[in-house]
Amino acid sequence: MPSYFISHGGGPWPWVPQMRARMQTLETALAAMPGALPEPPKAVLMVSGHWETQTPRVMHAARPPMIYDYHGFPAHTYEIRYQAPGAPALAERTAQLIAAAGIEVTLDDTRGYDHGTFAPMQVMYPQPDMPLYQLSIGTDYDPRRHVDLGRALAPLRDEGVLIVGSGLSYHNLRLMGPEAREPSAAFDAWLNAALQLPPAERVQAMLDWETAPAARICHPQEDHLVPLFVALGAAEEDPATRTYHETTMMGTITASNFRFG
């Protein structure tokens, strides 16, 4: 399996017609992902920027609940049910791999699907029958630790698990209008170029991401960039392909998705 980093869009956008109309390019890219895989995955492991813990936690429930981690949306979006089954056995396997890499890890039986998971999955797998589980990111956002976490997950790719880092290549909620156009374009151009570098050089580029053009304007808090480090670590020797790119996401933002392998 390849691994992916995706820009998951805003809140519960697939259930809000006005938002969905503005995200048709993203929707097309996400919907195409299953057909681009070498075979149907056994499960999807989503590394969402909306689940932060001090040390890694792996969703372990057989039927995870829902988490509505957004505000100000229509009432019906707080009743969404994306009822995909969990993957407890694969969660245990995932925790074993992480622990074998010397990283403290915990199985979590109570965590539910957040919108960084259920929103893109609604587009990728509208029939919620694909086993699905999540892995948290660290509250320290440390790039090296998250690349190492991805490296620990790499064997899952050969075991049929699709690893998806779910965030946004631009995430500054205080700068979403016309002022976002130039910094998002500059950072996106750097990101695409950096991910085309040879493996060791692109890992180093990601470790040094704060030196990129407009880096801290685009990511004043890098929770939505960190899933990229995990996806890259899981496939660090594989080439990167940009699978989604537009300059008018939410009107003015340049955003991208990437596939590794």
Side-chain angles (χ1 to χ4, degrees), residues 13 47 64 72 160 230 255:
W13 64 269
V47 184
V230 181

Side-chain angles (χ1 to χ4, degrees), residues 126-196:
Q127 297 298 321
D129 53 6
M130 174 59 64
L132 173 64
Y133 66 119
Q134 292 188 219
L135 170 65
S136 68
I137 63 170
T139 52
D140 61 0
Y141 303 149
D142 182 82
R144 190 177 301 277
R145 286 181 58 184
H146 287 91
V147 170
D148 287 343
L149 182 59
R151 288 169 175 155
L153 302 176
L156 293 174
R157 297 174 56 207
D158 291 330
E159 298 169 21
V161 176
L162 176 62
I163 300 169
V164 180
S166 178
L168 280 164
S169 59
Y170 174 91
H171 194 249
N172 184 342
L173 297 180
R174 295 185 177 183
L175 195 71
M176 299 295 284
E179 296 83 2
R181 182 175 285 112
E182 185 174 334
S184 68
F187 183 77
D188 191 89
W190 172 86
L191 185 61
N192 184 54
L195 292 177
Q196 307 311 317

Side-chain angles (χ1 to χ4, degrees), residues 205-230:
M206 292 303 104
L207 298 182
D208 297 332
W209 74 272
E210 289 180 88
T211 66
R216 277 299 177 190
I217 298 174
C218 297
H219 294 281
Q221 181 173 307
E222 60 267 39
D223 50 338
H224 279 55
L225 186 64
V226 166
L228 170 62
F229 307 148
V230 181

Side-chain angles (χ1 to χ4, degrees), residues 53-201:
T53 57
Q54 187 170 358
T55 56
R57 300 183 73 89
V58 185
M59 181 183 288
H60 187 236
R63 286 287 174 182
M66 301 290 292
I67 296 178
Y68 306 111
D69 53 342
Y70 40 77
H71 305 280
F73 287 91
H76 73 272
T77 64
Y78 299 89
E79 299 176 359
I80 292 166
R81 296 289 186 272
Y82 187 80
Q83 296 181 310
L90 283 170
E92 292 165 14
R93 168 65 173 154
T94 301
Q96 291 168 357
L97 289 169
I98 294 171
I103 302 170
E104 183 181 350
V105 62
T106 305
L107 291 170
D108 191 308
D109 289 292
T110 61
R111 175 71 183 188
Y113 297 136
D114 60 58
H115 80 265
T117 292
F118 68 74
M121 285 294 290
Q122 172 66 23
V123 179
M124 294 163 58
Y125 293 98
Q127 297 298 321
D129 53 6
M130 174 59 64
L132 173 64
Y133 66 119
Q134 292 188 219
L135 170 65
S136 68
I137 63 170
T139 52
D140 61 0
Y141 303 149
D142 182 82
R144 190 177 301 277
R145 286 181 58 184
H146 287 91
V147 170
D148 287 343
L149 182 59
R151 288 169 175 155
L153 302 176
L156 293 174
R157 297 174 56 207
D158 291 330
E159 298 169 21
V161 176
L162 176 62
I163 300 169
V164 180
S166 178
L168 280 164
S169 59
Y170 174 91
H171 194 249
N172 184 342
L173 297 180
R174 295 185 177 183
L175 195 71
M176 299 295 284
E179 296 83 2
R181 182 175 285 112
E182 185 174 334
S184 68
F187 183 77
D188 191 89
W190 172 86
L191 185 61
N192 184 54
L195 292 177
Q196 307 311 317
L197 293 171
E201 293 178 37

Side-chain angles (χ1 to χ4, degrees), residues 238-252:
D238 291 340
T241 304
R242 188 158 61 180
T243 59
Y244 155 76
H245 177 70
E246 68 173 311
T247 60
T248 56
M249 184 185 197
M250 302 181 193
T252 59

